[in-house]
Amino acid sequence: SEAAVFNGVVYLAGMVPERGDTTIEGQTEDVLAQVQQRLMEAGSDKSRILRTQIYLADIQDIEAMNAVWDAWVVPGSAPPRATVQAALARPEWKIEIVVTAAVGR
């Protein structure tokens, strides 16, 4: 399952890029589009994110990832976030994002 809703909260599984042959910026855009879609399907949106965990295969990509992230989040409403370097399941993946968000408007 890519998402579970419980007691008014949606928990997204770790979302990874659908394509591994792009830059960190491209992979971040890909994953954030998936996050936005899953949130919408669960009755939520990016303005209702409670927390985010971001895993980078190479922490040196943080500035480039942040540029995409900063353009995506709701201005003035960036959720609490942890970003760490981690060995991801596939070598072509540069990023994985886990999101928890409130459901409803």
Side-chain angles (χ1 to χ4, degrees):
S1 175
E2 292 184 339
V5 177
F6 183 73
N7 284 345
V9 178
V10 60
Y11 302 88
L12 298 187
M15 306 302 294
V16 296
E18 293 180 346
R19 292 185 42 196
D21 62 344
T22 61
T23 64
I24 185 63
E25 294 91 347
Q27 287 194 14
T28 303
E29 290 168 353
D30 176 358
V31 172
L32 292 174
Q34 291 179 59
V35 165
Q36 194 157 333
Q37 178 66 32
R38 297 296 173 274
L39 290 174
M40 183 186 71
E41 291 168 358
S44 188
D45 62 59
K46 64 185 176 180
S47 73
R48 310 224 357 115
I49 295 174
L50 301 171
R51 66 179 287 211
T52 303
Q53 297 161 277
I54 300 177
Y55 302 95
L56 296 175
D58 183 350
I59 199 69
Q60 297 299 320
D61 286 337
I62 195 166
E63 287 185 36
M65 181 278 300
N66 273 336
V68 177
W69 171 262
D70 290 344
W72 182 80
V73 296
V74 176
S77 295
R81 182 186 98 183
T83 305
V84 299
Q85 181 170 308
L88 302 181
R90 292 194 179 168
E92 65 270 20
W93 292 343
K94 297 176 183 350
I95 189 168
E96 181 170 349
I97 300 178
V98 179
V99 169
T100 303
V103 174
R105 302 274 176 231

